[in-house]
Amino acid sequence: MLLASKEGESLAMLSVETMNYAILPLSAAHFSGLHQVFDAACKEESFLFFLQAPPIEQTFRYYQNMVDRDYVYFVALCDETVVGWCDILPQGDAAHVGVLSVALLPQAQGLGLGRALMLAALAKAWQQGFIRIELTVRVDNHKAQALYQQLGFVNEGGPQQDLCIRGQYFTTQTMVLLAHSAL
């Protein structure tokens, strides 16, 4: 069940059996757990462009920069442990375009957390003035594509075999959500 919250608390709470889930803006308290989740997602070698997380000191500086600049960056917690994230970062000089990234640990998938993360991130992105949000997804990641489509993202296509993981090539596509077409 999704519950609205008071300011300063989690943006969303989800209770599944005895576990409590929360969607929160990134803070320094989450850096260590987020680094672990990012490294685990990289090591899946399935959907991210990285195969392992950078050194912890480097990622902590990166995360602190995200917090300092008030970038769109949320984490999903399960009983106070980071289990995923969603960020929307400006695309180069095009301040009106944001690039969305989202990932969850396998045990946190299928619970509505990806959707909750994305909705929180999109709400903040629209408030910050983004008008176009884009993401890249492998064409064989049908589960993720279905979620993105439910949220209003449309396929813009993409280059063939543009991702190489350990010598195997994959095709990705760009999906886009415009502010005027958002849910």
Side-chain angles (χ1 to χ4, degrees), residues 9-11 23-27 30 73-75 124:
E9 296 179 6
S10 64
L11 294 177
I23 305 301
L24 298 170
L26 178 64
S27 72
H30 306 127
Y73 214 120
F74 289 88
V75 293
K124 184 172 180 178

Side-chain angles (χ1 to χ4, degrees), residues 114-128:
R115 180 183 189 85
L117 276 166
M118 290 178 66
L119 288 172
L122 288 166
K124 184 172 180 178
W126 303 141
Q127 288 174 349
Q128 289 188 345

Side-chain angles (χ1 to χ4, degrees), residues 51-67:
L51 298 181
Q52 71 179 40
I56 197 164
E57 300 82 14
Q58 182 180 343
T59 56
F60 276 32
R61 283 192 304 272
Y62 173 81
Y63 298 149
Q64 188 61 56
N65 185 48
M66 300 297 104
V67 171

Side-chain angles (χ1 to χ4, degrees), residues 2 11 18 27 44 55 66 74 81 87 93 102 104-105 111 114 123 133 140-141 147 166 172:
L2 233 42
L11 294 177
T18 60
S27 72
E44 285 181 27
M66 300 297 104
F74 289 88
T81 300
D87 61 50
D93 293 333
V102 61
L104 288 166
L105 292 175
L111 302 172
I133 307 297
D140 60 337
N141 189 350
L147 171 61
R166 305 241 187 254
T172 65

Side-chain angles (χ1 to χ4, degrees), residues 70-161:
D70 193 31
Y71 281 163
V72 178
Y73 214 120
F74 289 88
V75 293
L77 303 179
C78 171
D79 293 329
E80 300 185 31
T81 300
V82 177
V83 295
W85 82 88
C86 181
D87 61 50
I88 300 175
L89 305 179
Q91 182 187 43
D93 293 333
H96 67 288
V97 178
V99 178
L100 184 145
S101 298
V102 61
L104 288 166
L105 292 175
Q107 65 267 29
Q109 295 174 8
L111 302 172
L113 292 173
R115 180 183 189 85
L117 276 166
M118 290 178 66
L119 288 172
L122 288 166
K124 184 172 180 178
W126 303 141
Q127 288 174 349
Q128 289 188 345
F130 287 98
I131 64 164
R132 175 186 166 98
I133 307 297
E134 56 188 52
L135 58 84
T136 301
V137 60
R138 277 180 32 182
V139 297
D140 60 337
N141 189 350
H142 304 292
K143 187 175 171 183
Q145 288 177 52
L147 171 61
Y148 305 149
Q149 289 170 346
Q150 288 172 7
L151 293 174
F153 283 82
V154 295
N155 182 4
E156 279 197 336
Q160 298 292 305
Q161 297 186 342

